[in-house]
């Protein structure tokens, strides 16, 4: 059945009262341009992670089409094609989509017969009106509503996908592929399916035909021409082609070929290559794609956005609404300081974002693994196991403190998690036990000096009685009451597995955890792991895909809000889950403005009633209003800031500050 999503975003399911996330924002950098196309009036710039920027060619006005505003089904665009006035999108995570007359129609595994949702690209319209397109491991034939045939590209390769499809002058349809083993990188599509074509030029990144009907290939090993009889290659060794690896290729109306590589935009007139250098800003930067619109040549880059060729070379066209500098957040990152500024560790440094001012900053540093906030609002940063010397960094309003492995008892283990108890003591879950810092004093708990009989501690949390609950990789769950240790394993309890990945204690001192598969404890997936386990001190209960609505058995994170809702970051691309103990609610790309279904870390901002999500690497952040339904008095103290002039009394009547007693501000009760 065809699914239609209105541009004015509609929620497709009824959400329970315990979880009503609204006012979604996708916070991303939009400088990774993946595809550029145009029609008579607009230039469409597809990005990886940032949606689509639609540019009016007459006024230069830019409009962002994103997941949050309902403008697209996926913020990561693989391919775009305009056909009969309709914009077709091949996306990285959410299948195929069509935008037509203000509506979005989505086609995926559930309604159109695709075998997988991820990575649809190489969209091609045949002369008979049918479509061909590529996915991971398969090429599809599509009639506009349903997949009518699917073709296995290469069953022997571990990772293969279609990069492009093009017909030559004789009507033969060529299929270019990426193959991790470079076994099948070019095929001809026939009535019998895909026929591999052997050639020595590596992966085919794009295909183009010239005015004479000859096929041209942008490959990993140069520019290749096929005239119907033989292949001719142009490489840096036999021509003045500046670089061998070409990523995109287009022909203009004068018979020239234009191509992009790491450092150059290059024009080829059939005999001579003319180079236009690109000033890369980092080792990861490169030119990614090209579009020819009349006399205008546009190119996209990986880290600097959109460029247009001018008489002075490549000129950058700034793209609007880039909130971040780096989209690549690591798995366990996400915290807020005392001012509500978000801290996130990325592959290239520590990034901060102020949602009130829009100010963003990236401090370059080696890859970090976790950010956590202590009771004073200071932010702590944890380095991964491969960091050469630094293990922790503390960021305060007045100083930044570095803790090195050589100076502290960190040299013999790796930190799995940092956590702060109710007294603001620092606790470290490590591969060699648990470390606690009280002021400047360190206390170590491990199997040689305590009842903690298993040293590889993965996670920990604290209940209201200051007891410590910690999970281990192979030793089950431990409880420490300050004097005694209690161990729960599969042998003496209903714990599903002795490999505990996450543990969280709710407001009623109930323990919630996710157990991993003993055979594959480091693998996340729908069926790996054992779902969500509840332990109230006496009774055990496990919710999994078989006995409950939870969509995945694997969890990246568990966070609990002031209303005792359990927020679950699930693995397997099925969305974010909220569970209040009896009702389940899933937020995904079909019913919310979340950027992508794979959420890796959840951060709660109780002061501002916001909830933050980091996503799988490259997809930035999502943030939404939490709309907490907690009617309890939030604090018995006066707010630190001046009470706003518009507040309400308990009858809902507008009142004027200053107000004594109990008042309502932003839907919550306060006492002054």
């Amino acid at each position: 059945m065809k699914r239609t999503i209105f541009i004015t975003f509609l929620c497709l399911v009824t959400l329970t009262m315990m979880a009503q996330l609204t006012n979604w924002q996708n916070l991303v950098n939009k400088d990774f341009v993946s595809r550029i196309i145009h029609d008579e009036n607009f230039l469409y710039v597809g990005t990886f992670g940032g949606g689509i920027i639609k540019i009016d060619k007459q006024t230069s006005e830019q409009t962002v089409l994103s997941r949050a505003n309902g403008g697209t089904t996926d913020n990561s665009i693989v391919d775009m094609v305009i056909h009969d006035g309709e914009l077709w999108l091949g996306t990285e995570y959410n299948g195929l989509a069509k935008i037509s007359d203000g509506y979005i129609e989505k086609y995926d595994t559930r309604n159109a017969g695709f075998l997988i949702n991820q990575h649809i690209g190489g969209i091609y319209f045949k002369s008979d009106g049918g479509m061909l397109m590529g996915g991971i491991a398969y090429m599809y034939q599509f009639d506009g509503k349903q997949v009518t045939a699917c073709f296995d590209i290469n069953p022997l390769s571990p990772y293969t996908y279609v990069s492009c499809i093009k017909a030559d002058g004789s009507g033969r349809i060529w299929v270019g592929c990426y193959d991790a083993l470079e076994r099948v990188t070019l095929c001809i599509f026939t009535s019998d399916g895909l026929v591999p074509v052997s050639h020595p030029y590596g992966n085919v990144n794009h295909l183009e035909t010239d005015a004479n009907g000859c096929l041209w290939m942008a490959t990993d090993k140069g520019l290749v021409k096929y005239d119907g009889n033989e292949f001719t290659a142009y490489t840096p060794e036999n021509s003045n082609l500046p670089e061998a690896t070409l990523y995109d290729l287009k022909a203009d109306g004068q018979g020239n070929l234009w191509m992009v590589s790491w450092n150059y935009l290059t024009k080829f007139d059939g005999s001579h290559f003319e180079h236009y250098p690109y000033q890369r800003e980092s080792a990861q930067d490169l030119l990614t794609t090209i579009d020819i619109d009349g006399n205008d040549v546009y190119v996209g880059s990986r880290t600097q956005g959109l460029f247009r060729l001018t008489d002075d070379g490549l000129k950058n066209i700034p793209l609007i609404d880039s909130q971040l500098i780096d989209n690549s957040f690591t798995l366990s990152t996400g915290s807020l300081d005392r001012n509500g500024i978000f801290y996130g560790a990325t592959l290239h440094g520590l990034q901060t974002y102020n949602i009130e001012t829009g100010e963003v900053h990236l401090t370059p540093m080696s890859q970090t693994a976790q950010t956590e906030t202590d009771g004073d609002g200071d932010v702590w940063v944890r380095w991964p196991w491969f960091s050469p010397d630094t293990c922790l960094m503390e960021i305060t309003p007045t100083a930044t403190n570095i803790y090195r492995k050589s100076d502290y008892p960190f040299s013999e283990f790796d930190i799995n998690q940092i956590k702060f108890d109710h007294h603001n003591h620092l606790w470290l879950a490590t591969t060699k036990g648990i470390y606690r810092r009280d002021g400047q004093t360190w206390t170590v708990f491990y199997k040689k000096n305590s009842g903690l009989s298993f040293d590889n501690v993965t996670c920990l949390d604290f209940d209201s009685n200051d007891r410590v609950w910690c999970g281990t990789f192979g030793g089950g769950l431990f409880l420490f009451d300050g004097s005694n240790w209690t161990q729960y394993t599969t042998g003496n309890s209903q714990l599903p597995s002795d490999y505990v990945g996450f543990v969280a204690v709710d407001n009623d001192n109930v323990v919630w955890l996710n157990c991993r598969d003993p055979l594959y404890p480091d693998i996340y997936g729908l069926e790996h792991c054992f779902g969500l386990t509840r332990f109230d001190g006496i009774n055990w209960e496990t919710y999994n895909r078989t006995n409950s609505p939870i969509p995945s058995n694997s969890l990246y994170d568990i966070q609990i809000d002031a209303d005792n809702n359990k927020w679950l970051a699930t693995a397997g691309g099925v969305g974010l889950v909220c569970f209040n103990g009896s009702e389940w609610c899933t937020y995904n790309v079909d019913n919310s403005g979340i950027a992508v279904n794979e959420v890796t870390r959840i951060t709660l901002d109780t002061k501002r009633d916001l909830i933050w999500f980091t996503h799988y690497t490259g997809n930035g952040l999502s943030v939404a209003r939490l709309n907490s339904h907690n009617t309890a008095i939030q604090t018995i103290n006066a707010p630190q800031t001046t009470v706003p002039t518009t507040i309400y009394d308990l009858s809902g009547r507008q009142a004027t500050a200053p107000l004594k007693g109990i008042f309502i501000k932003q839907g919550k009760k306060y006492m002054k």
Side-chain angles (χ1 to χ4, degrees), residues 530-545:
F530 292 94
L532 179 66
T533 296
R534 178 186 186 275
F535 179 49
D536 62 8
I538 300 175
N539 301 305
W540 296 83
E541 186 172 9
T542 295
Y543 306 93
N544 55 44
R545 281 166 50 87

Side-chain angles (χ1 to χ4, degrees), residues 36-45 53-63 82 291-296 298 306 308 317:
I36 310 167
I37 63 172
H38 67 275
D39 61 16
E40 183 178 353
N41 300 311
F42 297 99
L43 190 71
Y44 298 87
V45 182
I53 295 89
K54 181 180 176 182
I55 304 176
D56 189 306
K57 294 197 293 187
Q58 297 298 319
T59 66
S60 299
E61 180 183 2
Q62 298 186 22
T63 304
I82 297 174
D291 184 50
I292 310 295
D293 183 7
N295 294 322
D296 291 324
Y298 296 96
L306 178 68
R308 176 177 172 268
I317 301 176

Side-chain angles (χ1 to χ4, degrees), residues 327-339:
N327 292 336
S328 56
F329 291 98
T330 54
L331 283 181
S332 300
T333 189
S335 60
L336 299 161
D337 70 8
R338 57 178 53 79
N339 298 314

Side-chain angles (χ1 to χ4, degrees), residues 18 512 532 534 543 564-568 577-585:
M18 52 86 175
W512 300 83
L532 179 66
R534 178 186 186 275
Y543 306 93
N564 220 21
N565 294 311
K566 272 58 71 174
W567 293 91
L568 313 175
V577 175
C578 183
F579 181 50
N580 70 355
S582 59
E583 299 170 300
W584 300 82
C585 178

Side-chain angles (χ1 to χ4, degrees), residues 557-578:
D557 192 17
I558 305 171
Q559 296 292 328
I560 298 168
D561 67 20
D563 293 327
N564 220 21
N565 294 311
K566 272 58 71 174
W567 293 91
L568 313 175
T570 64
V574 291
L576 168 79
V577 175
C578 183

Side-chain angles (χ1 to χ4, degrees), residues 123-183:
I123 300 172
Y124 173 77
F125 285 89
K126 299 190 296 181
S127 57
D128 62 6
M131 297 171 61
L132 297 173
M133 69 199 71
I136 295 176
Y138 299 98
M139 189 182 85
Y140 299 102
Q141 189 165 277
F142 188 67
D143 65 4
K145 295 182 179 180
Q146 290 285 325
V147 170
T148 58
C150 117
F151 308 93
D152 194 332
I153 302 168
N154 181 9
L156 299 179
S157 179
Y159 185 71
T160 309
Y161 63 83
V162 171
S163 55
C164 48
I165 305 172
K166 193 76 173 182
D168 64 18
S170 63
R172 283 175 299 188
I173 297 177
W174 295 79
V175 180
C177 302
Y178 171 89
D179 182 350
L181 300 180
E182 294 190 358
R183 290 176 175 173

